[in-house]
Amino acid sequence: MSFDRKIKIAPSILSADFANFGAECEAIEDQGADWVHVDVMDGHFVPNITFGPAMCAAIRPHIQGVMDVHLMISPVDPYIDAFAQAGADVITAHVEAGPHIHRTLQAIRAAGAKAGVALNPGTPANVIEPLLDMVDLVCVMTVNPGFGGQKFLDMTDKIRTLREMIGDRPVHIEIDGGVDPSTAPLVARAGADVLVAGSAVFKGGSVTNPQVYGDNIRTIREAAEGVYA
């Protein structure tokens, strides 16, 4: 998993067909997805329950590229090894999810995965300044986590602050929540390079009609890349 700042589209399988995850992962990658984003929720840290390590292990053979696992759970540390063993390339934990985020990030890297840290909309960017040499990715939530399909919250000032703080470190800025062709340019212009999109990718398509996924991915990518034209 090499580092670059090119725009990457990471469809969230939270919006996929739950009965068809393997085929959905293959379909979105065939149609141009760069990463596959897996939203793990525990019904405690966030008001929803989704997937666990067994599901990640089940879909891993269907994913050729990066499996990006976003842990919206608390506590995090007891589950890191299981998600790493399930094949997660990136494991992201919330700074708000526990008292010892340094230990969590160290454990993620020790397990062999890239380490991400996520910030809820109400959490300021400067909270993670001491962590920037310990992470490979910063995830900026542009909705309050828990459900797909929510309205985008404008976090462009936070993204710009993070981009300046990161400097030349090889750290991705990922955006999760409400990304579509209208919001992608806002976050890309502010400095984001990994765009998580759920309903905006999967709407209108299916594993039997996957070209719609490709059209949606291209539209989001072109909107984001247009800020550099």
Side-chain angles (χ1 to χ4, degrees), residues 44-113:
H44 169 67
F45 181 66
V46 292
N48 196 4
I49 297 173
T50 58
F51 323 118
M55 200 282 291
C56 290
I59 64 172
R60 179 72 257 192
H62 300 274
I63 298 171
Q64 301 302 310
V66 173
M67 185 162 75
D68 174 32
V69 176
H70 178 190
L71 300 183
M72 288 167 273
I73 67 175
S74 178
V76 177
D77 295 8
Y79 303 98
I80 289 169
D81 285 344
F83 281 103
Q85 290 164 15
D89 296 292
V90 182
I91 298 176
T92 297
H94 273 257
V95 71
E96 308 90 356
H100 307 298
I101 188 64
H102 288 82
R103 181 179 297 156
T104 300
L105 296 171
Q106 288 168 341
I108 292 171
R109 284 187 164 178

Side-chain angles (χ1 to χ4, degrees), residues 27 61 91 100 105 130 143-144 167 177 182 222 228:
I91 298 176
H100 307 298
L105 296 171
V143 297
N144 286 294
S182 67
E222 288 168 4
Y228 305 115

